[in-house]
Amino acid sequence: MDTIDLAYVGRGIHEELVAYVADQEGFFEDEGVHVAMRDGTRWDIARVRTCATIGLGRAVLSRLTDGFQWAVLSANTDRPLFWFLGGPDVTSMTDLRGRRLAVHAPDNPPGCFARIVLRKHDLDPDRDLHCVARHPGDYQMDLRQLRDGSIDAAYVGSTIGPEQVAEEEGFHVLAWVGDHFQIPTVGIAVDPAHNPIDSPAVQALVRANRRALKLLAEQPDLAVRYVASFLNRMTHDEVQCYYERYIQPYYTSDGHVDAAVASRAIDAVAAELGVPTAAADAIYVGHR
């Protein structure tokens, strides 16, 4: 049996759901590959590129800034699962002006996406609010700081259900990134210098990923149960709503990339980073 390392570079449904389904359903074994899951959330990009990776956003930023020739072979969704969550007296994106926002660093993909969305709301992230950079995690410290008032808002990911947390804590969901910025952001990418695209292990990994996507699309009841395994603070009805709002309409059933969406996203990311695009849309192998 072929073997391959698969690194995730963030936590929560956004990064982990599809790989978890593929593993639990036995799709990796069926396709003849042993997949070793690696926690690459704190790895530098040189180490990540020795593995296949789920983090397409990081692959795109790396291709733009490092020149590594990442290739995206399958995409799960182009709607990043990140939200702006306001404290008790922050009820809109406009209210962020002059406030303290806990957010990923600008050179981290979710942080870059956050800056793009802030600008869409006429907010300069360097001048109009105070961005408190922190490493992505499960965002529990952010919730604690929102409660004690040491921050006014937080940019959070899919380890929590934003609406449910907001209702319980008296917070406010200000915006979902996926409503304002689309980019193929999780799936399967490799650096061919370390994992050739046509290698049996890579191709088996891609097939298993696509089978998991197809299952999520075709069996919504099972999909909800898998989503619930990540969000065990939520009731079944809350998980159902989460699935219907964020997963079912936007996760692909075949791993295909929308080339127009991808091209616009790369232009926006390159502009935010202040670097040339350098034909980075070539990263989406087989989808151009």
Side-chain angles (χ1 to χ4, degrees):
M1 180 177 287
D2 295 304
T3 64
I4 193 168
D5 289 341
L6 176 61
Y8 57 90
V9 294
R11 296 189 176 92
I13 290 170
H14 190 53
E15 286 264 347
E16 299 178 78
L17 175 62
V18 176
Y20 181 70
V21 170
D23 177 59
Q24 294 300 301
E25 293 291 322
F27 294 157
F28 295 139
E29 290 179 338
D30 288 350
E31 297 297 340
V33 63
H34 173 75
V35 176
M37 297 297 302
R38 304 296 188 191
D39 181 352
T41 53
R42 293 187 179 272
W43 288 3
D44 61 34
I45 196 63
R47 188 175 181 188
V48 174
R49 67 192 286 246
T50 64
C51 307
T53 184
I54 297 170
L56 306 189
R58 191 165 182 188
V60 167
L61 266 67
S62 173
R63 183 151 177 157
L64 286 168
T65 59
D66 303 316
F68 298 145
Q69 297 301 299
W70 289 96
V72 170
L73 307 179
S74 184
N76 300 344
T77 183
D78 58 19
R79 303 283 181 134
L81 290 179
F82 295 92
W83 296 264
F84 291 87
L85 187 66
D89 60 346
V90 179
T91 62
S92 70
M93 291 294 285
T94 302
D95 288 343
L96 288 175
R97 194 174 301 275
R99 305 287 189 143
R100 297 158 298 180
L101 170 69
V103 65
H104 306 63
D107 61 352
N108 184 281
C112 179
F113 306 160
R115 293 171 68 87
I116 290 170
V117 174
L118 287 168
R119 295 189 196 280
K120 286 177 179 283
H121 287 85
D122 296 321
L123 293 166
D124 185 326
D126 298 317
R127 294 181 176 86
D128 293 336
L129 63 160
H130 178 50
C131 291
V132 181
R134 47 90 167 105
H135 192 277
D138 67 0
Y139 307 101
Q140 293 303 312
M141 182 56 73
D142 289 348
L143 301 184
R144 180 175 178 176
Q145 291 177 330
L146 282 170
R147 292 186 201 106
D148 68 24
S150 57
I151 59 173
D152 302 300
Y155 181 76
V156 301
S158 60
T159 59
I160 64 174
E163 286 87 2
Q164 173 258 333
V165 168
E167 182 177 356
E168 285 188 6
E169 302 284 353
F171 301 154
H172 303 92
V173 179
L174 310 180
W176 173 38
V177 170
D179 279 336
H180 303 281
F181 179 60
Q182 288 82 55
I183 182 172
T185 184
V186 282
I188 300 294
V190 296
D191 181 342
H194 292 272
N195 290 285
I197 293 170
D198 59 357
S199 72
V202 168
Q203 289 300 309
L205 178 62
V206 170
R207 291 194 301 271
N209 190 81
R210 290 177 174 167
R211 286 180 65 183
L213 285 168
K214 190 170 186 288
L215 182 144
L216 289 172
E218 293 182 349
Q219 298 189 42
D221 290 344
L222 181 58
V224 168
R225 291 201 294 273
Y226 273 122
V227 171
S229 68
F230 286 86
L231 298 172
N232 54 18
R233 179 175 171 175
M234 294 168 62
T235 67
H236 179 272
D237 288 346
E238 289 168 339
V239 173
Q240 182 77 41
C241 289
Y242 184 103
Y243 168 76
E244 292 175 355
R245 173 70 173 93
Y246 300 116
I247 306 297
Q248 188 176 42
Y250 303 119
Y251 270 61
T252 70
S253 60
D254 58 6
H256 185 71
V257 169
D258 184 317
V261 168
S263 182
R264 289 194 298 269
I266 287 174
D267 288 345
V269 169
E272 180 60 43
L273 296 174
V275 300
T277 58
D281 57 350
I283 189 173
Y284 301 106
V285 175
H287 297 290
R288 299 187 298 279

